[in-house]
Amino acid sequence: DAWQSFSSGKWDHSLVLSLHWLHDQPFSSKPAMLASYICTTVEQDYTRATQILKAALVGNPRHPGLTNNLAFALINLGALDEAENLLSSVRMEDSLDSSIVTLLATKGALMFRRGACDVGRNLYLDAIEKARRQGWQKYVALASLYLAQEEILAKTTHRLDATYKAVYEAKQSKDHDVLLLLM
């Protein structure tokens, strides 16, 4: 039900259901992944996401997705050193499927926030290319949107081009969460 609510864009209901699911299955990473994604992407409640993820990592230490989501939340809270320590603990070879794409993008966000915009941009572009090669349009769109956001926040000369590309990629998606970020 949590996933069905998420797929239909019923964010609040999906979050409530995913938290109930997490309560019922505290050692499962799936409800924590969903709840933290809603908190970070939809609600931009990074503090709540951090609380959920720290609790979930007790039962799932070194889980690449949970670690990535926690690092992303911490970056958005300005806790760059803690985020960097977390990201350095994840071995890319342990990452499955789209986790590699999200880890690269999150490392890109960290580099932008550290002021290393060229490094951050290249990490994002690598994530976008990996997602494109796999045919994961949602991840192409998400990474493009977050790249554009970082370019805008950093006030780079690439911000306009990145924004046009992000809008184009996002319009290729039918996912409610991607379209929400586009707004």
Side-chain angles (χ1 to χ4, degrees):
D1 289 342
W3 281 111
Q4 186 173 0
S5 291
F6 177 83
S7 295
S8 60
K10 297 176 183 170
W11 316 117
D12 292 337
H13 190 60
S14 180
L15 180 58
V16 168
L17 292 174
S18 63
L19 291 173
H20 285 300
W21 178 17
L22 182 58
H23 183 283
D24 290 343
Q25 296 180 340
F27 294 104
S28 174
S29 62
K30 292 177 182 173
M33 288 291 296
L34 180 57
S36 66
Y37 182 80
I38 294 168
C39 286
T40 57
T41 303
V42 176
E43 295 186 350
Q44 297 180 352
D45 186 346
Y46 305 111
T47 301
R48 187 172 192 190
T50 299
Q51 294 165 346
I52 292 166
L53 290 158
K54 284 183 176 181
L57 280 165
V58 171
N60 294 283
R62 298 191 185 130
H63 186 282
L66 294 172
T67 303
N68 175 78
N69 286 8
L70 179 55
F72 182 76
L74 290 168
I75 289 165
N76 284 285
L77 289 171
L80 302 183
D81 291 338
E82 189 177 352
E84 188 167 15
N85 287 337
L86 277 169
L87 289 171
S88 68
S89 73
V90 178
R91 296 179 341 169
M92 291 295 240
E93 58 271 13
D94 290 343
S95 303
L96 304 172
D97 300 327
S98 60
S99 292
I100 293 169
V101 171
T102 56
L103 283 163
L104 284 169
T106 301
K107 287 180 180 184
L110 177 65
M111 292 297 99
F112 264 98
R113 303 293 172 97
R114 289 251 189 241
C117 298
D118 290 338
V119 175
R121 184 177 306 108
N122 287 333
L123 286 163
Y124 269 110
L125 293 174
D126 191 20
I128 291 165
E129 183 54 35
K130 285 184 185 328
R132 192 178 312 284
R133 278 197 309 262
Q134 293 296 324
W136 298 332
Q137 181 57 37
K138 177 177 181 169
Y139 291 97
V140 170
L142 287 170
S144 297
L145 287 164
Y146 282 116
L147 170 58
Q149 175 184 313
E150 294 301 329
E151 298 281 10
I152 291 166
L153 289 172
K155 299 179 181 171
T156 71
T157 58
H158 299 271
R159 65 186 181 268
L160 191 57
D161 185 50
T163 301
Y164 285 133
K165 288 179 181 174
V167 169
Y168 172 79
E169 296 296 354
K171 286 185 175 181
Q172 307 304 309
S173 177
K174 300 209 183 324
D175 294 284
H176 292 287
D177 51 322
V178 172
L179 297 174
L180 177 71
L181 284 175
L182 183 57
M183 300 160 104

